[in-house]
Amino acid sequence: MRNFKEQRNSKRVKYKCIADFFIINGETKLTNVEIIDISETGARLHTSKKVCVKDKITFKFSIGNLNLTCNATIVWCETNLNGGFLSGCKFDLLATDKRLLKLIIEQFYNNNFIYVYKDKSTYIIENLTCKINLSTPDIDRLFQYASWLMGEISTSNKLNEVIFNNLLSRLEEYGNNHADNFKISIYEVSQFKQIIEFTISSLYSENSNIAAMRLEDLDLSSLENEHSTKLIDKFNKLPHDLQLSTINTISKLLLNNIK
């Protein structure tokens, strides 16, 4: 049994894909081996057959345009409750641009790259996020007015509806955790601005002028530039189901990183 409290010196990010090839001890070939996550020093794997501690493995996989060929040693293995086996390996030799690998891992770690694993294919979508300084009372106000606004959102546009629902769920969770900030993705800016504008208008109509002016001062400029526009254009050309998967993946990541 492996030690789940094992301390690692390098950042580890979730990244799921199918290995192009996978060989154990130079002779046994496995197919449909899934990479589950990766760091600069090793990876976590899902295999249909059990591998043993100290087994030597060679495998190859890609992260976007970066191809990695790895010689590694299995350091732990256990049965996966959902079938097959989970194992961890430590890289002995890594044939790739290690500086580029470090940069890519950093980008995934900061949610600047998002991966979607669908039908045993891996898609990488570039993302931008913005951390907005907001007091807990202001987050609660946005949640309140976003809840009212949801009643006016058309259900005919599924993507738009999902984004609003994700923002609403995160506002509630951020408020419950007494956060002093809120994080949004470039792909949610339009809907978030609608929530902001509706909230400001409602606050002014209720003579809550100070609260309204605070929200008017929110700075979203980091998500409103030429690069952002290009990313949104690329996103809009993705298949609809991939757009939905990307949006939900981003929202889960931002929900899991409340600080």
Side-chain angles (χ1 to χ4, degrees):
M1 181 66 68
R2 69 187 175 107
N3 182 2
F4 285 90
K5 295 183 179 179
E6 176 187 1
Q7 297 296 313
R8 300 185 178 97
N9 294 322
S10 56
K11 292 177 180 176
R12 181 169 296 268
V13 294
K14 291 183 179 180
Y15 179 76
K16 196 170 184 179
C17 69
I18 297 291
D20 296 325
F21 69 81
F22 190 95
I23 300 175
I24 306 173
N25 296 324
E27 54 186 28
T28 303
K29 185 176 181 180
L30 294 186
T31 58
N32 292 321
V33 174
E34 291 180 327
I35 315 300
I36 303 297
D37 62 34
I38 183 174
S39 72
E40 294 176 64
T41 58
R44 188 160 60 105
L45 313 168
H46 177 244
T47 58
S48 57
K49 295 183 180 180
K50 185 176 182 179
V51 293
C52 299
V53 173
K54 295 185 180 180
D55 274 349
K56 297 293 184 179
I57 59 174
T58 299
F59 62 103
K60 181 179 179 180
F61 68 101
S62 301
I63 304 179
N65 294 324
L66 179 66
N67 298 314
L68 297 94
T69 300
C70 317
N71 290 335
T73 302
I74 298 295
V75 293
W76 61 265
C77 182
E78 63 189 27
T79 301
N80 181 25
L81 296 178
N82 295 321
F85 300 87
L86 294 175
S87 60
C89 69
K90 180 180 179 181
F91 296 144
D92 300 321
L93 179 63
L94 189 60
T96 191
D97 185 333
K98 294 182 181 179
R99 290 176 298 177
L100 183 55
L101 175 61
K102 182 177 181 179
L103 176 62
I104 289 175
I105 289 174
E106 190 73 26
Q107 295 300 311
F108 274 107
Y109 188 83
N110 292 320
N111 300 326
N112 293 327
F113 286 160
I114 305 297
Y115 84 90
V116 174
Y117 184 70
K118 189 176 181 62
D119 299 327
K120 294 190 179 296
S121 295
T122 304
Y123 304 89
I124 298 176
I125 295 93
E126 187 176 353
N127 179 48
L128 290 175
T129 59
C130 178
K131 182 177 179 180
I132 304 165
N133 293 323
L134 277 171
S135 67
T136 300
D138 283 338
I139 291 175
D140 290 339
R141 288 188 185 95
L142 288 174
F143 171 70
Q144 175 188 349
Y145 291 108
S147 300
W148 294 350
L149 184 60
M150 276 300 299
E152 302 178 10
I153 300 302
S154 172
T155 58
S156 62
N157 185 332
K158 183 64 176 178
L159 180 62
N160 190 55
E161 182 186 14
V162 168
I163 292 174
F164 269 108
N165 273 316
N166 287 345
L167 287 169
L168 185 62
S169 297
R170 294 212 311 276
L171 284 167
E172 181 178 25
E173 197 63 27
Y174 273 64
N176 290 341
N177 282 272
H178 307 290
D180 59 2
N181 66 81
F182 187 70
K183 302 183 185 74
I184 64 168
S185 163
I186 178 62
Y187 306 117
E188 303 172 317
V189 169
S190 176
Q191 291 78 5
F192 186 70
K193 287 177 71 175
Q194 288 183 55
I195 292 173
I196 291 291
E197 290 167 2
F198 180 76
T199 302
I200 290 172
S201 175
S202 300
L203 288 171
Y204 274 129
S205 68
E206 297 168 4
N207 293 319
S208 298
N209 296 345
I210 295 177
M213 287 187 287
R214 275 202 308 272
L215 294 178
E216 285 181 325
D217 288 337
L218 293 182
D219 182 13
L220 300 178
S221 59
S222 63
L223 298 180
E224 297 177 311
N225 51 47
E226 184 177 352
H227 182 55
S228 301
T229 301
K230 289 180 179 178
L231 291 185
I232 292 173
D233 287 342
K234 286 183 181 179
F235 178 80
N236 289 336
K237 295 175 183 177
L238 295 175
H240 187 66
D241 60 340
L242 189 53
Q243 288 180 337
L244 290 172
S245 296
T246 300
I247 285 298
N248 285 327
T249 298
I250 290 172
S251 191
K252 288 177 182 177
L253 289 170
L254 297 181
L255 193 59
N256 291 333
N257 287 289
I258 300 176
K259 294 180 181 179

